[in-house]
Amino acid sequence: MSSKRSIVFLALLLSTFFVYTSCIETDKGLGGQFVPDDFVLRVHSAEFEVPVTTAALDSIHGYNTSYMTFGYLNDETFGYSSGGFATNISTFGDSTYLGINPELQSIYLYMGIDSVSVLNDDQRGIPQNIYIYKLKSDLDSLKLFNKSITPDDYYPTPVSVGSPVFFGDDSIKIYLSHEFGRELLATSTAEYDSAALFMERIKGLYFTTDTPELNPGEGRINYSIVGGATIYLRYYLTDPQRGFYRKDTMETYSLGYSHALNTLRTSSSNLKNDQVSEQLPIQSIDGVKPKIKAADLKNILDTWISQNGFTKESVIISRAALEFPYEFDPAKYEDYTNIYPQQIFPCVYNDVEGSINYLMPLPEIYTNASKGNMNRSQNKYTCEITGYIQSLIKKDDISPEKDDLYICPILSYETQSSNSDYYYYMYYGLSSSGEMYYGVDNQDYRQGFINGNLAAGNKPTLHITYSLVK
């Protein structure tokens, strides 16, 4: 009995201990009175309306490692868009020997179609005339833009036979000229072993369509995966050492080695407007883009700093985001998926000395949470540009060529471990496979409108969160 009483007494003692310890309060502000105010960073916020105009681009990068594009369409507001692609041909095998005096039987191109873009579904099956030309210029590092290919870069006579017509199916087969086939049959063993040697003689092909007159809403743009087209060359092989005499043989070549140079271009430059407006048109490829002048942003920030008695050295920006609202029209519900840009972001012209001048997104797109994706619940795009705004505050001189912002539809691309990514490694600093690259959308046909400064509803704004240091 005494042992039981001891156990009960111990339990009561422990329960009393836990009851009393659970009543101890934690004061997280303890000692705060000893911290000088100068060491306390208080967070504030501010909001500014930002003047946005529209600009037309001369050209844009046409280099693409994903898709070869061709076709045309006409939009009532944005106008005509059309183009094709240029790409290399490569051999599939190495150490191939075509024998003695190979005799050509036939040659044709087979291309798979991955997807199409149309403004109206009834345009998916329209006929389009196809033309294929042999390149006479190298697809080198100087040919990177959608306007880099001109008639001087290819021979005037098509190597496609007859008048090929494409009806928007999932593939297309086009016969090529025997003259071009005999050029491929002249490939030496050394050229089969070296892609560089082969492409020195066979520069590649330029693939395009006609440009007919279209009513608004008509037309189709087609997409084929780079490397998704094959040239089939059938010939008689004679090789006495292997016992072959006019043996029926097939040789294949890949169309789309490493990349394509897409030449899609738009005609929306007439929508350019140097003044603020109610709506701001935005289009992919080289179409019209909303523009924010760095000088306007700088003036807004400098005025705000001056009026509040701050200095540019005392303002620390912890977050800065541009918001671009748009008006939702329920009658055009599907357009917000199929036509509207799904992601937009401010871009600047690169300022790397000695490099080719091209538009690229601000580097914040790689580090911030809000990357300009369409928010359908709030009908807006949000783009975090904290580093850009902090830098703009501290700058004394503004360069329109380097600091002005162009709001562009964005294309995301995950790098692979292959030669096809050399361009991205060289220009964007991506060094391994699996990294995400963001660039101006030079591939997908996208267009839409965001609210301008004269809109009745929400307007383009800059939201900042900041602290002050003394």
Side-chain angles (χ1 to χ4, degrees):
M1 294 295 293
S2 61
S3 61
K4 291 182 178 179
R5 285 196 297 269
S6 299
I7 293 173
V8 170
F9 177 76
L10 179 60
L12 289 172
L13 181 63
L14 289 173
S15 65
T16 303
F17 172 76
F18 287 123
V19 168
Y20 278 104
T21 55
S22 64
C23 292
I24 297 175
E25 296 183 0
T26 301
D27 184 1
K28 296 182 180 180
L30 185 64
Q33 68 271 25
F34 300 111
V35 180
D37 288 342
D38 290 351
F39 285 78
V40 178
L41 286 179
R42 292 179 172 83
V43 177
H44 311 274
S45 63
E47 179 179 317
F48 313 95
E49 181 180 335
V50 177
V52 186
T53 59
T54 48
L57 305 180
D58 292 332
S59 61
I60 203 167
H61 267 97
Y63 189 108
N64 196 295
T65 63
S66 299
Y67 287 99
M68 306 180 290
T69 63
F70 64 96
Y72 48 79
L73 50 77
N74 186 24
D75 180 79
E76 183 175 5
T77 301
F78 288 84
Y80 206 92
S81 298
S82 65
F85 67 88
T87 191
N88 296 113
I89 300 171
S90 64
T91 58
F92 275 119
D94 55 8
S95 302
T96 300
Y97 177 55
L98 299 178
I100 301 171
N101 297 324
E103 301 175 54
L104 178 68
Q105 294 189 68
S106 63
I107 178 174
Y108 64 88
L109 167 70
Y110 184 87
M111 175 185 290
I113 303 299
D114 178 76
S115 57
V116 300
S117 286
V118 293
L119 297 174
N120 295 305
D121 282 340
D122 61 5
Q123 296 295 295
R124 292 183 179 275
I126 63 169
Q128 292 177 316
N129 296 318
I130 305 297
Y131 304 93
I132 303 177
Y133 300 92
K134 190 178 70 170
L135 290 175
K136 58 182 179 181
S137 299
D138 294 318
L139 288 178
D140 54 25
S141 59
L142 296 179
K143 294 192 179 300
L144 295 175
F145 296 90
N146 66 330
K147 295 182 180 178
S148 292
I149 299 296
T150 71
D152 292 334
D153 294 304
Y154 54 87
Y155 294 96
T157 302
V159 297
S160 48
V161 175
S163 300
V165 180
F166 178 51
F167 290 91
D169 300 320
D170 58 4
S171 62
I172 182 173
K173 180 179 180 180
I174 300 175
Y175 281 93
L176 304 178
S177 69
H178 279 217
E179 181 182 4
F180 181 64
R182 283 188 283 270
E183 288 188 51
L184 292 181
L185 280 179
T187 303
S188 65
T189 303
E191 289 174 331
Y192 272 108
D193 287 337
S194 170
L197 280 178
F198 179 81
M199 293 178 194
E200 186 177 330
R201 184 172 62 89
I202 306 294
K203 310 294 186 184
L205 297 176
Y206 178 53
F207 196 106
T208 188
T209 64
D210 56 0
T211 53
E213 293 292 330
L214 298 175
N215 294 318
E218 293 182 343
R220 182 185 64 238
I221 295 176
N222 314 282
Y223 298 86
S224 178
I225 296 174
V226 169
T230 303
I231 295 175
Y232 293 88
L233 189 152
R234 189 176 179 184
Y235 70 104
Y236 291 121
L237 168 65
T238 297
D239 184 2
Q241 290 187 348
R242 291 184 287 173
F244 296 146
Y245 295 92
R246 301 190 78 246
K247 175 181 172 58
D248 193 346
T249 309
M250 179 75 77
E251 191 67 33
T252 57
Y253 303 83
S254 174
L255 179 69
Y257 177 80
S258 78
H259 74 281
L261 182 63
N262 293 326
T263 62
L264 274 176
R265 55 190 73 175
T266 67
S267 62
S268 60
S269 59
N270 62 300
L271 299 179
K272 172 185 174 182
N273 187 354
D274 293 330
Q275 305 299 317
V276 296
S277 57
E278 182 178 353
Q279 283 189 321
L280 299 166
I282 180 170
Q283 191 178 30
S284 60
I285 318 172
D286 64 351
V288 65
K289 307 284 191 290
K291 178 182 178 180
I292 300 176
K293 295 180 180 179
D296 289 342
L297 271 179
K298 176 68 171 173
N299 182 60
I300 290 172
L301 293 167
D302 285 350
T303 300
W304 166 70
I305 289 173
S306 176
Q307 289 177 344
N308 286 276
F310 305 151
T311 65
K312 63 181 181 181
E313 290 78 15
S314 67
V315 177
I316 298 177
I317 303 296
S318 57
R319 182 180 185 270
L322 285 168
E323 288 190 356
F324 300 102
Y326 63 89
E327 298 300 322
F328 176 74
D329 183 356
K332 299 179 179 180
Y333 179 82
E334 292 186 356
D335 287 355
Y336 296 93
T337 298
N338 301 327
I339 300 297
Y340 259 68
Q342 300 302 290
Q343 182 180 16
I344 66 175
F345 207 80
C347 297
V348 293
Y349 279 99
N350 69 306
D351 59 355
V352 180
E353 186 175 354
S355 66
I356 297 174
N357 203 24
Y358 59 93
L359 269 178
M360 61 186 300
L362 291 173
E364 285 92 328
I365 197 172
Y366 291 94
T367 56
N368 290 337
S370 298
K371 302 178 185 294
N373 296 98
M374 174 185 278
N375 187 326
R376 297 196 183 188
S377 64
Q378 299 181 3
N379 295 340
K380 67 180 180 180
Y381 302 89
T382 301
C383 312
E384 288 190 41
I385 58 169
T386 306
Y388 173 86
I389 293 298
Q390 183 73 75
S391 174
L392 199 63
I393 287 175
K394 294 186 177 299
K395 279 185 176 181
D396 293 322
D397 298 317
I398 297 298
S399 170
E401 293 77 14
K402 297 178 181 180
D403 296 323
D404 284 353
L405 299 179
Y406 297 84
I407 314 305
C408 304
I410 296 297
L411 179 71
S412 61
Y413 175 86
E414 187 172 351
T415 59
Q416 307 294 324
S417 181
S418 69
N419 290 335
S420 66
D421 296 307
Y422 172 73
Y423 170 80
Y424 296 108
Y425 299 153
M426 180 171 62
Y427 286 98
Y428 294 97
L430 305 180
S431 57
S432 61
S433 63
E435 291 193 41
M436 186 63 70
Y437 150 78
Y438 297 94
V440 177
D441 192 345
N442 63 355
Q443 167 186 295
D444 303 316
Y445 184 83
R446 296 283 182 177
Q447 64 186 41
F449 294 91
I450 57 179
N451 289 1
N453 297 93
L454 302 183
N458 295 327
K459 300 171 174 55
T461 55
L462 171 66
H463 299 263
I464 65 171
T465 304
Y466 67 96
S467 299
L468 298 171
V469 295
K470 295 182 179 179

